Amino acid sequence: MKALKDRFGRTHNYLRISVTDRCNLRCVYCMPEEGVAFTEASHLLTYDQIAEVVEVGASLGITKLRITGGEPLVRPDLHTLIARLSGIPGIEDIALTTNGVFLAKQAQALKDAGLTRVNISLDTLDPSRFAFIARRAELRRVLEGIEAAAVAGFHPIKLNCVLLKNVNEDEIAEFLRMAYEKPLHVRFIEYMPIGHADDNWRNHYLPLSRVLDIANERYVIARREDVKGNGPSEDWEIEGGVGSFGLIHPISDHFCKSCNRLRLTADGGLKPCLYWMDELNVKGALGDTAAMREIFAKAMDIKPENHEMAAKLADTALSHVPTERRMSQIGG
Ligand code: SAM
Ligand code: SF4
């Protein structure tokens, strides 16, 4: 096998790696309030083992990585993993998705270790609303983390904003203003039913057409193709603005046709698709390059054509079994 090509002709060059399922926050759309049963530390892939999976992936055409979690910055000495991964031949780009709470202290070390880009999750600019959404009052430290990332030289800094109907949709205009005034790329994300499809999701799912309505009322906007990234974001620039914004709308308009990604969970599950249950554990193949290559090949064989979150919203039958993992146990 030369390249990671699936049955639908999609080439995969992007691996998202969750380094932990633990988190210091409890975002309402991601984890239940009581948390989930966390993986014991002894069952997590070690940094050596993650590097081994990446080495095999890189030999098959993986060039881009994203480190995620849970909250990746709760895993000790993350910069040492970044340094290790950035030295693997073929790896060109290593990004991080973080809630930002511990970023101020680590930004420079991560940059020095070879991290190329950072996405920081920020759903609200209001402290009490932040405490409601994340179930922890940590807005100030997130904002400090964003500042520190800029000082460390990350550019562009992307903000991930999950929009929730009747919770933070009244802040769309404020986030657009941030994108207009600051060198930030604000990515609005639709709330996905990962590991749950309960009333919370049905009541708070908001299609992102709302963002375009508000943007068009206030600004002259135009599609842009050059925001550096590996994902499905539909990017827009604002005439006269410093930053830009993007829409990630997996439900109202899915982007599976161009999917280029695989996911590795913290306990070693290689997932062909975020939504479905199927995954292949890499642990049995550690130390055996041929067996590890086989696992990547199998992931290509079983990768489904698309997720069916829109069907879930419409309450129609699904073709596969959805995952029971919550987003914090996959990595987004
Ligand atoms: N803890 C880190 C953070 O929050 O950035 C990384 C892990 S988190 C699972 C990755 C991304 O997934 C975050 O931007 C978060 O907002 C998003 N996310 C979590 N649950 C989601 C859901 N149900 N629907 C859409 N996005 C979700
Ligand atoms: Fe933690 Fe990120 Fe999930 Fe929030 S979205 S609970 S910060 S993993």
Side-chain angles (χ1 to χ4, degrees):
M1 188 175 60
K2 286 202 186 72
L4 292 168
K5 200 172 248 203
D6 72 6
R7 294 172 296 146
F8 307 98
R10 297 172 295 195
T11 299
H12 292 64
N13 64 347
Y14 181 26
L15 180 65
R16 298 174 66 102
I17 302 169
S18 171
V19 292
T20 179
D21 56 355
R22 286 171 197 262
C23 189
N24 52 314
L25 304 184
R26 294 283 180 280
C27 301
V28 288
Y29 45 72
C30 182
M31 263 207 237
E33 187 157 17
E34 65 281 11
V36 287
F38 294 127
T39 306
E40 275 177 43
S42 60
H43 293 162
L44 297 177
L45 292 181
T46 64
Y47 288 171
D48 281 348
Q49 291 169 336
I50 292 172
E52 184 184 334
V53 177
V54 171
E55 273 161 16
V56 175
S59 75
L60 294 168
I62 295 290
T63 58
K64 298 164 199 294
L65 305 175
R66 176 168 298 275
I67 307 302
T68 176
E71 173 47 40
L73 299 185
V74 303
R75 182 110 184 225
D77 300 323
L78 189 72
H79 63 281
T80 61
L81 174 67
I82 304 294
R84 182 85 185 269
L85 299 179
S86 66
I88 294 176
I91 297 302
E92 296 164 359
D93 186 48
I94 308 179
L96 173 77
T97 302
T98 171
N99 63 34
V101 174
F102 302 126
L103 187 57
K105 279 208 175 116
Q106 300 187 39
Q108 193 61 57
L110 291 164
K111 179 81 179 155
D112 295 345
L115 189 72
T116 40
R117 293 179 301 115
V118 64
N119 286 36
I120 301 162
S121 299
L122 182 65
D123 305 320
T124 177
L125 298 164
D126 176 81
S128 56
R129 188 175 282 174
F130 186 100
F132 169 75
I133 295 176
R135 299 196 184 101
R136 302 287 186 272
E138 292 282 19
L139 177 60
R140 188 182 51 79
R141 286 211 282 176
V142 178
L143 298 177
E144 287 169 5
I146 296 170
E147 290 294 322
V151 170
F154 289 104
H155 183 77
I157 293 172
K158 296 186 182 179
L159 301 184
N160 284 3
C161 176
V162 178
L163 281 182
L164 305 171
K165 191 158 116 193
N166 295 329
V167 176
N168 63 352
E169 66 178 300
D170 59 346
E171 291 187 71
I172 294 173
E174 189 57 25
F175 274 105
L176 287 169
R177 196 163 68 85
M178 266 178 99
Y180 181 78
E181 290 177 353
K182 298 187 175 178
L184 295 168
H185 180 70
V186 177
R187 301 175 354 141
F188 297 98
I189 302 174
E190 285 180 351
Y191 178 10
M192 293 178 257
I194 304 301
H196 70 300
D198 53 15
D199 286 350
N200 194 47
W201 174 59
R202 289 178 190 281
N203 294 338
H204 295 297
Y205 164 70
L206 182 75
L208 293 190
S209 48
R210 189 84 197 94
V211 176
L212 286 184
D213 291 345
I214 294 175
N216 276 313
E217 277 163 21
R218 286 159 197 253
Y219 304 101
V220 176
I221 60 171
R223 278 297 294 275
R224 60 180 289 186
E225 307 295 338
D226 62 331
V227 177
K228 197 167 173 339
N230 307 311
S233 177
E234 172 194 315
D235 294 320
W236 293 82
E237 64 185 7
I238 309 174
E239 199 177 280
V242 185
S244 52
F245 72 96
L247 307 177
I248 300 183
H249 36 51
I251 300 170
S252 63
D253 184 7
H254 76 73
F255 31 74
C256 302
K257 259 200 187 107
S258 57
C259 186
N260 62 345
R261 57 189 58 192
L262 286 165
R263 293 175 167 83
L264 182 66
T265 65
D267 56 353
L270 190 65
K271 284 185 74 62
C273 175
L274 172 69
Y275 187 58
W276 303 116
M277 186 175 231
D278 313 80
E279 58 184 61
L280 302 153
N281 204 293
V282 299
K283 281 184 179 165
L286 289 166
D288 181 344
T289 301
M292 189 69 77
R293 289 169 76 92
E294 265 308 301
I295 288 189
F296 275 96
K298 182 94 193 294
M300 291 296 94
D301 283 348
I302 65 170
K303 178 148 177 148
E305 191 167 13
N306 45 249
H307 67 67
E308 292 167 22
M309 297 188 219
K312 189 74 202 165
L313 189 64
D315 246 338
T316 47
L318 303 181
S319 64
H320 295 59
V321 183
T323 184
E324 287 175 3
R325 287 187 189 261
R326 298 296 295 243
M327 200 69 119
S328 60
Q329 298 167 303
I330 304 174

